[in-house]
mmCIF file of all heavy atoms in Angstrom:
data_model
loop_
_atom_site.group_PDB
_atom_site.id
_atom_site.type_symbol
_atom_site.label_atom_id
_atom_site.label_comp_id
_atom_site.label_asym_id
_atom_site.label_seq_id
_atom_site.Cartn_x
_atom_site.Cartn_y
_atom_site.Cartn_z
ATOM 1 N N SER W 1 -24.090 -2.491 0.267
ATOM 2 C CA SER W 1 -23.425 -1.142 0.581
ATOM 3 C C SER W 1 -22.017 -1.107 -0.016
ATOM 4 O O SER W 1 -21.409 -0.090 0.192
ATOM 5 C CB SER W 1 -23.435 -0.870 2.050
ATOM 6 O OG SER W 1 -22.728 -1.866 2.744
ATOM 7 N N ARG W 2 -21.527 -2.187 -0.581
ATOM 8 C CA ARG W 2 -20.211 -2.173 -1.168
ATOM 9 C C ARG W 2 -20.134 -1.213 -2.356
ATOM 10 O O ARG W 2 -20.993 -1.189 -3.179
ATOM 11 C CB ARG W 2 -19.825 -3.570 -1.548
ATOM 12 C CG ARG W 2 -18.418 -3.724 -2.072
ATOM 13 C CD ARG W 2 -18.256 -5.066 -2.727
ATOM 14 N NE ARG W 2 -18.591 -6.130 -1.789
ATOM 15 C CZ ARG W 2 -18.992 -7.363 -2.163
ATOM 16 N NH1 ARG W 2 -19.141 -7.672 -3.468
ATOM 17 N NH2 ARG W 2 -19.220 -8.333 -1.277
ATOM 18 N N THR W 3 -19.049 -0.408 -2.410
ATOM 19 C CA THR W 3 -18.905 0.527 -3.508
ATOM 20 C C THR W 3 -17.606 0.300 -4.208
ATOM 21 O O THR W 3 -16.630 -0.170 -3.627
ATOM 22 C CB THR W 3 -18.949 2.027 -2.953
ATOM 23 O OG1 THR W 3 -17.847 2.255 -2.057
ATOM 24 C CG2 THR W 3 -20.261 2.273 -2.164
ATOM 25 N N GLN W 4 -17.591 0.694 -5.473
ATOM 26 C CA GLN W 4 -16.377 0.563 -6.265
ATOM 27 C C GLN W 4 -15.309 1.478 -5.758
ATOM 28 O O GLN W 4 -14.111 1.148 -5.744
ATOM 29 C CB GLN W 4 -16.727 0.929 -7.707
ATOM 30 C CG GLN W 4 -15.454 0.975 -8.593
ATOM 31 C CD GLN W 4 -15.777 1.538 -9.977
ATOM 32 O OE1 GLN W 4 -16.946 1.764 -10.263
ATOM 33 N NE2 GLN W 4 -14.741 1.695 -10.773
ATOM 34 N N GLU W 5 -15.703 2.661 -5.191
ATOM 35 C CA GLU W 5 -14.711 3.652 -4.644
ATOM 36 C C GLU W 5 -13.925 3.118 -3.475
ATOM 37 O O GLU W 5 -12.755 3.253 -3.330
ATOM 38 C CB GLU W 5 -15.399 4.945 -4.304
ATOM 39 C CG GLU W 5 -14.493 6.077 -3.878
ATOM 40 C CD GLU W 5 -13.584 6.506 -4.962
ATOM 41 O OE1 GLU W 5 -13.869 6.319 -6.123
ATOM 42 O OE2 GLU W 5 -12.468 7.021 -4.620
ATOM 43 N N ASP W 6 -14.645 2.388 -2.594
ATOM 44 C CA ASP W 6 -13.993 1.797 -1.375
ATOM 45 C C ASP W 6 -12.983 0.715 -1.859
ATOM 46 O O ASP W 6 -11.863 0.654 -1.310
ATOM 47 C CB ASP W 6 -15.051 1.175 -0.473
ATOM 48 C CG ASP W 6 -15.842 2.199 0.353
ATOM 49 O OD1 ASP W 6 -15.324 3.318 0.452
ATOM 50 O OD2 ASP W 6 -16.918 1.874 0.776
ATOM 51 N N LEU W 7 -13.366 -0.088 -2.819
ATOM 52 C CA LEU W 7 -12.479 -1.155 -3.268
ATOM 53 C C LEU W 7 -11.218 -0.525 -3.914
ATOM 54 O O LEU W 7 -10.125 -1.015 -3.723
ATOM 55 C CB LEU W 7 -13.214 -2.037 -4.233
ATOM 56 C CG LEU W 7 -12.434 -3.316 -4.681
ATOM 57 C CD1 LEU W 7 -12.074 -4.148 -3.544
ATOM 58 C CD2 LEU W 7 -13.305 -4.075 -5.688
ATOM 59 N N ARG W 8 -11.420 0.515 -4.674
ATOM 60 C CA ARG W 8 -10.304 1.178 -5.329
ATOM 61 C C ARG W 8 -9.353 1.767 -4.311
ATOM 62 O O ARG W 8 -8.106 1.755 -4.419
ATOM 63 C CB ARG W 8 -10.830 2.269 -6.321
ATOM 64 C CG ARG W 8 -9.640 2.960 -7.015
ATOM 65 C CD ARG W 8 -10.104 4.103 -7.889
ATOM 66 N NE ARG W 8 -10.950 3.612 -8.993
ATOM 67 C CZ ARG W 8 -12.270 3.836 -9.147
ATOM 68 N NH1 ARG W 8 -12.864 4.570 -8.246
ATOM 69 N NH2 ARG W 8 -12.914 3.382 -10.156
ATOM 70 N N ARG W 9 -9.945 2.394 -3.284
ATOM 71 C CA ARG W 9 -9.107 3.063 -2.268
ATOM 72 C C ARG W 9 -8.269 2.009 -1.469
ATOM 73 O O ARG W 9 -7.142 2.196 -1.135
ATOM 74 C CB ARG W 9 -9.973 3.862 -1.298
ATOM 75 C CG ARG W 9 -10.476 5.148 -1.880
ATOM 76 C CD ARG W 9 -11.328 5.944 -0.873
ATOM 77 N NE ARG W 9 -11.670 7.217 -1.396
ATOM 78 C CZ ARG W 9 -12.398 8.134 -0.639
ATOM 79 N NH1 ARG W 9 -12.779 7.847 0.533
ATOM 80 N NH2 ARG W 9 -12.744 9.249 -1.255
ATOM 81 N N ILE W 10 -8.925 0.870 -1.069
ATOM 82 C CA ILE W 10 -8.280 -0.187 -0.349
ATOM 83 C C ILE W 10 -7.130 -0.798 -1.179
ATOM 84 O O ILE W 10 -6.019 -1.016 -0.666
ATOM 85 C CB ILE W 10 -9.244 -1.276 0.115
ATOM 86 C CG1 ILE W 10 -10.311 -0.675 1.040
ATOM 87 C CG2 ILE W 10 -8.501 -2.418 0.815
ATOM 88 C CD1 ILE W 10 -9.802 -0.064 2.288
ATOM 89 N N ALA W 11 -7.345 -0.961 -2.496
ATOM 90 C CA ALA W 11 -6.343 -1.450 -3.332
ATOM 91 C C ALA W 11 -5.188 -0.482 -3.442
ATOM 92 O O ALA W 11 -4.004 -0.846 -3.445
ATOM 93 C CB ALA W 11 -6.900 -1.766 -4.758
ATOM 94 N N GLY W 12 -5.498 0.800 -3.540
ATOM 95 C CA GLY W 12 -4.402 1.843 -3.582
ATOM 96 C C GLY W 12 -3.634 1.920 -2.315
ATOM 97 O O GLY W 12 -2.383 2.062 -2.309
ATOM 98 N N ILE W 13 -4.357 1.764 -1.168
ATOM 99 C CA ILE W 13 -3.627 1.771 0.152
ATOM 100 C C ILE W 13 -2.648 0.632 0.278
ATOM 101 O O ILE W 13 -1.533 0.733 0.738
ATOM 102 C CB ILE W 13 -4.668 1.710 1.338
ATOM 103 C CG1 ILE W 13 -5.432 3.060 1.382
ATOM 104 C CG2 ILE W 13 -3.958 1.424 2.623
ATOM 105 C CD1 ILE W 13 -6.588 3.043 2.359
ATOM 106 N N HIS W 14 -3.126 -0.568 -0.176
ATOM 107 C CA HIS W 14 -2.228 -1.741 -0.142
ATOM 108 C C HIS W 14 -1.005 -1.555 -0.976
ATOM 109 O O HIS W 14 0.100 -1.887 -0.575
ATOM 110 C CB HIS W 14 -3.063 -3.029 -0.572
ATOM 111 C CG HIS W 14 -2.288 -4.295 -0.495
ATOM 112 N ND1 HIS W 14 -1.453 -4.733 -1.469
ATOM 113 C CD2 HIS W 14 -2.238 -5.172 0.517
ATOM 114 C CE1 HIS W 14 -0.907 -5.849 -1.133
ATOM 115 N NE2 HIS W 14 -1.414 -6.172 0.087
ATOM 116 N N ALA W 15 -1.223 -1.062 -2.207
ATOM 117 C CA ALA W 15 -0.070 -0.851 -3.110
ATOM 118 C C ALA W 15 0.921 0.141 -2.542
ATOM 119 O O ALA W 15 2.152 -0.050 -2.641
ATOM 120 C CB ALA W 15 -0.597 -0.376 -4.477
ATOM 121 N N GLU W 16 0.448 1.249 -1.931
ATOM 122 C CA GLU W 16 1.331 2.234 -1.359
ATOM 123 C C GLU W 16 2.130 1.682 -0.212
ATOM 124 O O GLU W 16 3.305 1.954 -0.049
ATOM 125 C CB GLU W 16 0.549 3.451 -0.955
ATOM 126 C CG GLU W 16 -0.054 4.264 -2.096
ATOM 127 C CD GLU W 16 -0.965 5.337 -1.653
ATOM 128 O OE1 GLU W 16 -1.052 5.566 -0.395
ATOM 129 O OE2 GLU W 16 -1.540 6.013 -2.437
ATOM 130 N N TRP W 17 1.531 0.836 0.612
ATOM 131 C CA TRP W 17 2.240 0.331 1.797
ATOM 132 C C TRP W 17 3.228 -0.781 1.344
ATOM 133 O O TRP W 17 4.193 -1.030 2.009
ATOM 134 C CB TRP W 17 1.268 -0.226 2.792
ATOM 135 C CG TRP W 17 0.768 0.871 3.710
ATOM 136 C CD1 TRP W 17 -0.408 1.505 3.546
ATOM 137 C CD2 TRP W 17 1.498 1.536 4.747
ATOM 138 N NE1 TRP W 17 -0.486 2.544 4.531
ATOM 139 C CE2 TRP W 17 0.629 2.562 5.201
ATOM 140 C CE3 TRP W 17 2.728 1.337 5.342
ATOM 141 C CZ2 TRP W 17 1.048 3.362 6.267
ATOM 142 C CZ3 TRP W 17 3.105 2.143 6.387
ATOM 143 C CH2 TRP W 17 2.275 3.163 6.822
ATOM 144 N N VAL W 18 2.966 -1.481 0.234
ATOM 145 C CA VAL W 18 3.969 -2.418 -0.248
ATOM 146 C C VAL W 18 5.173 -1.680 -0.769
ATOM 147 O O VAL W 18 6.337 -2.105 -0.492
ATOM 148 C CB VAL W 18 3.331 -3.266 -1.471
ATOM 149 C CG1 VAL W 18 4.442 -4.039 -2.197
ATOM 150 C CG2 VAL W 18 2.284 -4.192 -0.973
ATOM 151 N N ILE W 19 4.985 -0.498 -1.393
ATOM 152 C CA ILE W 19 6.176 0.265 -1.845
ATOM 153 C C ILE W 19 6.951 0.795 -0.582
ATOM 154 O O ILE W 19 8.211 0.745 -0.579
ATOM 155 C CB ILE W 19 5.660 1.476 -2.672
ATOM 156 C CG1 ILE W 19 5.057 0.913 -3.982
ATOM 157 C CG2 ILE W 19 6.803 2.447 -2.934
ATOM 158 C CD1 ILE W 19 4.387 2.001 -4.822
ATOM 159 N N LEU W 20 6.207 1.229 0.426
ATOM 160 C CA LEU W 20 6.857 1.722 1.648
ATOM 161 C C LEU W 20 7.682 0.598 2.349
ATOM 162 O O LEU W 20 8.762 0.795 2.891
ATOM 163 C CB LEU W 20 5.892 2.308 2.599
ATOM 164 C CG LEU W 20 5.497 3.817 2.446
ATOM 165 C CD1 LEU W 20 4.475 4.144 3.430
ATOM 166 C CD2 LEU W 20 6.729 4.658 2.526
ATOM 167 N N ALA W 21 7.040 -0.625 2.348
ATOM 168 C CA ALA W 21 7.741 -1.755 3.040
ATOM 169 C C ALA W 21 8.974 -2.104 2.288
ATOM 170 O O ALA W 21 10.018 -2.398 2.875
ATOM 171 C CB ALA W 21 6.773 -3.000 3.016
ATOM 172 N N ARG W 22 8.970 -2.084 0.953
ATOM 173 C CA ARG W 22 10.173 -2.425 0.190
ATOM 174 C C ARG W 22 11.267 -1.297 0.362
ATOM 175 O O ARG W 22 12.448 -1.627 0.472
ATOM 176 C CB ARG W 22 9.835 -2.483 -1.334
ATOM 177 C CG ARG W 22 9.079 -3.775 -1.673
ATOM 178 C CD ARG W 22 8.613 -3.798 -3.094
ATOM 179 N NE ARG W 22 7.965 -5.063 -3.466
ATOM 180 C CZ ARG W 22 7.286 -5.267 -4.513
ATOM 181 N NH1 ARG W 22 7.081 -4.234 -5.391
ATOM 182 N NH2 ARG W 22 6.769 -6.455 -4.767
ATOM 183 N N ARG W 23 10.879 -0.085 0.463
ATOM 184 C CA ARG W 23 11.829 0.993 0.797
ATOM 185 C C ARG W 23 12.449 0.774 2.169
ATOM 186 O O ARG W 23 13.689 0.917 2.298
ATOM 187 C CB ARG W 23 11.089 2.370 0.734
ATOM 188 C CG ARG W 23 10.866 2.894 -0.650
ATOM 189 C CD ARG W 23 10.177 4.244 -0.557
ATOM 190 N NE ARG W 23 10.882 5.191 0.204
ATOM 191 C CZ ARG W 23 10.316 6.331 0.648
ATOM 192 N NH1 ARG W 23 9.065 6.634 0.310
ATOM 193 N NH2 ARG W 23 11.015 7.176 1.438
ATOM 194 N N ALA W 24 11.602 0.433 3.129
ATOM 195 C CA ALA W 24 12.138 0.276 4.466
ATOM 196 C C ALA W 24 13.107 -0.946 4.511
ATOM 197 O O ALA W 24 14.212 -0.888 5.078
ATOM 198 C CB ALA W 24 11.000 0.028 5.459
ATOM 199 N N PHE W 25 12.721 -2.067 3.857
ATOM 200 C CA PHE W 25 13.632 -3.204 3.842
ATOM 201 C C PHE W 25 14.949 -2.892 3.112
ATOM 202 O O PHE W 25 16.015 -3.362 3.498
ATOM 203 C CB PHE W 25 12.954 -4.385 3.119
ATOM 204 C CG PHE W 25 11.786 -4.985 3.898
ATOM 205 C CD1 PHE W 25 10.834 -5.783 3.279
ATOM 206 C CD2 PHE W 25 11.694 -4.829 5.256
ATOM 207 C CE1 PHE W 25 9.780 -6.320 3.990
ATOM 208 C CE2 PHE W 25 10.677 -5.358 5.992
ATOM 209 C CZ PHE W 25 9.695 -6.145 5.371
ATOM 210 N N SER W 26 14.867 -2.081 2.049
ATOM 211 C CA SER W 26 16.068 -1.720 1.322
ATOM 212 C C SER W 26 16.969 -0.858 2.171
ATOM 213 O O SER W 26 18.216 -1.082 2.198
ATOM 214 C CB SER W 26 15.683 -1.005 0.049
ATOM 215 O OG SER W 26 16.799 -0.520 -0.668
ATOM 216 N N ILE W 27 16.426 0.132 2.851
ATOM 217 C CA ILE W 27 17.291 1.078 3.676
ATOM 218 C C ILE W 27 17.918 0.359 4.857
ATOM 219 O O ILE W 27 19.064 0.509 5.147
ATOM 220 C CB ILE W 27 16.403 2.242 4.136
ATOM 221 C CG1 ILE W 27 16.016 3.149 2.895
ATOM 222 C CG2 ILE W 27 17.211 3.118 5.130
ATOM 223 C CD1 ILE W 27 15.018 4.239 3.264
ATOM 224 N N TYR W 28 17.093 -0.528 5.500
ATOM 225 C CA TYR W 28 17.582 -1.195 6.722
ATOM 226 C C TYR W 28 18.287 -2.529 6.427
ATOM 227 O O TYR W 28 18.526 -3.313 7.315
ATOM 228 C CB TYR W 28 16.435 -1.439 7.685
ATOM 229 C CG TYR W 28 15.973 -0.214 8.461
ATOM 230 C CD1 TYR W 28 14.960 0.562 7.992
ATOM 231 C CD2 TYR W 28 16.624 0.107 9.619
ATOM 232 C CE1 TYR W 28 14.491 1.684 8.692
ATOM 233 C CE2 TYR W 28 16.229 1.220 10.349
ATOM 234 C CZ TYR W 28 15.173 2.001 9.902
ATOM 235 O OH TYR W 28 14.773 3.098 10.577
ATOM 236 N N ASP W 29 18.570 -2.811 5.180
ATOM 237 C CA ASP W 29 18.987 -4.140 4.758
ATOM 238 C C ASP W 29 20.289 -4.587 5.493
ATOM 239 O O ASP W 29 20.360 -5.575 6.189
ATOM 240 C CB ASP W 29 19.246 -4.165 3.256
ATOM 241 C CG ASP W 29 19.477 -5.530 2.734
ATOM 242 O OD1 ASP W 29 19.143 -6.510 3.407
ATOM 243 O OD2 ASP W 29 19.988 -5.730 1.627
ATOM 244 N N VAL W 30 21.340 -3.778 5.378
ATOM 245 C CA VAL W 30 22.636 -4.104 5.943
ATOM 246 C C VAL W 30 22.561 -4.161 7.439
ATOM 247 O O VAL W 30 23.122 -5.045 8.111
ATOM 248 C CB VAL W 30 23.728 -3.124 5.478
ATOM 249 C CG1 VAL W 30 25.076 -3.450 6.163
ATOM 250 C CG2 VAL W 30 23.920 -3.197 3.958
#
C-alpha cells in the first residue's frame, strides 16, 4: 500500500519543518 505520493509528502513536511526550526532558532537566538 506504499505510494510515491505519501513518500513525497512526508519528505516535503520534513523539509518545511526544518526551515521553520531554523527560523525559530535564529529569532530566539540571543
Side-chain angles (χ1 to χ4, degrees):
S1 60
R2 183 191 304 155
T3 64
Q4 176 188 353
E5 185 64 24
D6 285 339
L7 188 59
R8 181 184 294 112
R9 286 183 175 181
I10 298 302
I13 290 172
H14 184 274
E16 290 175 5
W17 279 100
V18 169
I19 294 173
L20 273 179
R22 286 175 176 166
R23 280 178 58 193
F25 289 161
S26 174
I27 293 173
Y28 283 95
D29 190 18
V30 176

